[in-house]
Amino acid sequence: GEAVTDIYGSDRTTLGAKYTFVVPESLSIVWQREIGADDGYYTIGLPFDVMNVSWETSDGLPCDVERMIYKTQEEDGVIFERCATTDTWSKNTPYLWRPKECRAGKVCFSAHGVTIESAHEAVTPQSTGAYVNIEERAILETANLYLLDMNGSRFVRAATGSTIAPCRAYLILDNP
């Protein structure tokens, strides 16, 4: 199918499509995230390649961000690698990010002319690494599942009964 209007998502909605569809060049898909005026990190993983990151609206002022991607787990902890400013934001890829300018507001991640693939059934990952959650999901098994804390400063073990918000990333670690 094909979208007939702009599509908006946020922490209170999901972009987990039941069917694959196309967002034509003339329309946009936008993920909006409210952030605080601190210097903490946030996680994100979207079902589309991000073309634009802006403040308040999809055509607002550019929002320059620091971005990192999971590399590996070592004895000392988890290693993230900084992304170059020119690196593309790839779909279904988990990222740590934060604005270079500390301010509260809405950050919009948008694209147009992209295909949104149907959300696959949620599966418990069998290996360590960083993963993306497209739909809100309850956490049933927490032994090795870690979420970014509220301050955006460290990953903490997830509590049974908590949820992973849509389009967030999480870690599965060996020997926590």
Side-chain angles (χ1 to χ4, degrees), residues 37-101:
D38 56 31
D39 63 351
Y41 281 92
Y42 301 88
T43 65
I44 195 165
L46 296 167
F48 57 88
D49 293 341
V50 174
M51 296 175 172
N52 186 45
V53 182
S54 57
W55 288 104
E56 304 307 328
T57 65
S58 60
D59 58 357
L61 295 174
C63 177
D64 294 325
V65 300
E66 293 179 29
R67 182 170 40 121
M68 294 189 285
I69 191 167
Y70 174 86
K71 185 174 178 184
T72 189
Q73 178 184 356
E74 295 183 355
E75 285 183 31
D76 298 355
V78 177
I79 307 297
F80 285 86
E81 186 172 78
R82 192 169 307 281
C83 299
T85 306
T86 56
D87 289 352
T88 59
W89 289 73
S90 299
K91 70 179 178 180
N92 300 322
T93 301
Y95 294 104
L96 273 178
W97 69 277
R98 68 179 173 189
K100 290 182 179 178
E101 175 186 359

Side-chain angles (χ1 to χ4, degrees), residues 118-131:
S118 64
H120 53 13
E121 187 174 327
V123 178
T124 301
Q126 299 301 312
S127 61
T128 62
Y131 294 92

Side-chain angles (χ1 to χ4, degrees), residues 123-160:
V123 178
T124 301
Q126 299 301 312
S127 61
T128 62
Y131 294 92
V132 172
N133 184 60
I134 298 299
E135 300 177 311
E136 183 173 75
R137 183 171 136 196
I139 299 171
L140 304 175
E141 172 75 32
T142 66
N144 296 349
L145 196 148
Y146 288 76
L147 301 172
L148 195 60
D149 71 0
M150 295 298 290
N151 297 324
S153 60
R154 64 190 174 116
F155 282 88
V156 295
R157 188 178 302 217
T160 301

